[in-house]
Amino acid sequence: MSGEALRDLAGLLAALARGPAQASPPTATLPPAASVPVGVSGRHVHLSQADLEALFGPGARLTPLRELSQPGQFAAEERVTLVGPKGVIQHVRVLGPVRARTQVEVLRGDTYRLGIKPCVRLSGHIDGTPGVTLVGPAGAVTLTEGVIVAARHLHLSPEEAVGLGLRDGQVVSLLCEGERPGRLDGVVVRASGRGALDCHIDTEEANAFGLVNGSRLRLVV
């Protein structure tokens, strides 16, 4: 066998010994206990006090209907109608408490129904987003911005973040291991003093993976 052939054979044997090549290191999975519950979110509205009164009358206050997963937040009995350039969506739930700025969270499919551009943002990041008209029993408010499709995010307290080795603003992934397995990437960690462990996705995402409130997802980093 020639010297060149021997070198080729040696290279082949070395490659076989190393095993198949990997394009990137495997995903690091957190311990089995590092799973989080799912909170499925439908379309809803957060109102400022001024807009609440414009829609429901002077001195209006939200009427709590049920508590939500995050401490201090609740679904209210009040509902509004959304009016866009192309369509209308009625009976949209208002969530409390009131906020400094009004924000409307819709599904991506809703944006086509309303006739506005879908804009995926974290809650509170509404600069430059589309607007819509809100109609209540006492009046209407036209927003120049404030309509978002909520980005996937993970609520938790600072203590829970430390326990899981996470930090506020970090982007993680979540594994769904049920009947329709898959992976949710781009989940933003939101650690705050009033946070409680809960992953928020919207109903379109939940339906795609066969998830419901309380389903468990595995964290990966």
Side-chain angles (χ1 to χ4, degrees):
M1 182 178 291
S2 67
E4 183 178 354
L6 286 172
R7 286 193 298 273
D8 291 342
L9 178 60
L12 176 61
L13 292 174
L16 291 173
R18 288 193 299 268
Q22 293 184 351
S24 60
T27 300
T29 304
L30 294 171
S35 67
V36 298
V38 171
V40 182
S41 180
R43 66 179 74 95
H44 60 270
V45 175
H46 301 277
L47 294 175
S48 68
Q49 182 61 38
D51 288 344
L52 173 63
E53 295 189 38
L55 295 168
F56 293 92
R61 295 291 185 269
L62 292 176
T63 309
L65 176 64
R66 63 178 181 276
E67 294 183 352
L68 301 178
S69 64
Q70 297 307 297
Q73 299 188 21
F74 59 90
E77 292 186 0
E78 287 75 18
R79 299 189 184 205
V80 297
T81 295
L82 307 182
V83 181
K86 292 186 177 179
V88 173
I89 300 177
Q90 296 179 309
H91 310 302
V92 179
R93 181 76 62 188
V94 178
L95 302 188
V98 295
R99 294 191 176 186
R101 300 174 70 186
T102 293
Q103 175 178 292
V104 180
E105 297 184 34
V106 297
L107 307 177
R108 191 176 187 90
D110 293 338
T111 65
Y112 307 126
R113 182 174 171 184
L114 293 169
I116 60 176
K117 179 182 178 181
C119 190
V120 179
R121 294 282 186 89
L122 284 173
S123 180
H125 296 209
I126 62 175
D127 290 343
T129 57
V132 74
T133 295
L134 309 179
V135 180
V141 172
T142 297
L143 304 176
T144 58
E145 60 185 7
V147 183
I148 67 169
V149 176
R152 302 162 179 167
H153 55 281
L154 174 63
H155 286 290
L156 71 175
S157 68
E159 295 75 19
E160 289 169 327
V162 170
L164 292 173
L166 303 176
R167 65 184 184 279
D168 185 55
Q170 182 177 355
V171 179
V172 299
S173 296
L174 297 165
L175 293 181
C176 173
E177 300 172 321
E179 294 180 340
R180 304 184 72 180
R183 174 172 169 143
L184 288 165
D185 293 320
V187 181
V188 182
V189 174
R190 308 205 79 177
S192 68
R194 293 182 61 82
L197 188 62
D198 200 28
C199 171
H200 283 183
I201 58 176
D202 66 33
T203 53
E204 289 177 334
E205 295 174 304
N207 289 340
F209 288 90
L211 300 172
V212 297
N213 283 318
S215 295
R216 307 292 297 195
L217 298 177
R218 182 71 54 83
L219 273 167
V220 294
V221 295

